[in-house]
Amino acid sequence: MFLGKLDETTKDELAKILGVDAVIGGRFETEQTKSEAGAIASAVLFGGFGGKSGTGTMFLTINNGPDGELLWRFFKTMDDTIMSSTDDMVERMMRKISRNFPYKS
């Protein structure tokens, strides 16, 4: 079976095509609200080093293969600061996910 457009394929169809029991899906989005220079200027003017420079949002799901039913959902938004990078933020989110993930090996 050929998979046309992935976003038009249901979770149960995808599980059947792949021959799996469940499908993990997700999305990560970042939004830069200030430049690094702007965040530094805010930190200097208003005190502290936690100047927010953007946000990141992680959304993950696990859907049951046979019927596509939602089994688990994780949603988290975090701030990106001048002292961290997008990679740091993703790593912090993945640690939170690993603590909340419903399956262990």
Side-chain angles (χ1 to χ4, degrees):
M1 181 180 285
F2 177 73
L3 192 61
K5 291 187 177 183
L6 189 58
D7 60 342
E8 294 176 2
T9 305
T10 63
K11 303 294 186 192
D12 55 325
E13 291 171 334
L14 184 58
K16 184 177 180 182
I17 291 166
L18 297 173
V20 296
D21 296 329
V23 175
I24 296 176
R27 182 176 66 246
F28 176 73
E29 298 173 356
T30 61
E31 179 181 357
Q32 186 173 1
T33 55
K34 284 186 191 172
S35 68
E36 188 173 314
I40 291 170
S42 293
V44 170
L45 290 172
F46 302 113
F49 270 104
K52 176 181 165 184
S53 60
T55 59
T57 302
M58 176 80 70
F59 182 71
L60 290 177
T61 60
I62 299 177
N63 293 80
N64 191 34
D67 59 12
E69 180 182 337
L70 180 65
L71 299 174
W72 180 77
R73 173 180 48 209
F74 179 88
F75 177 82
K76 182 70 177 171
T77 298
M78 287 187 165
D79 292 336
D80 193 11
T81 66
I82 58 175
M83 301 302 286
S84 66
S85 67
T86 301
D87 289 343
D88 294 333
M89 184 171 40
V90 170
E91 188 173 320
R92 288 191 329 259
M93 284 188 180
M94 293 308 291
R95 274 192 240 118
K96 288 194 178 289
I97 290 168
S98 69
R99 288 191 295 265
N100 290 289
F101 199 73
Y103 303 99
K104 305 288 181 208
S105 58

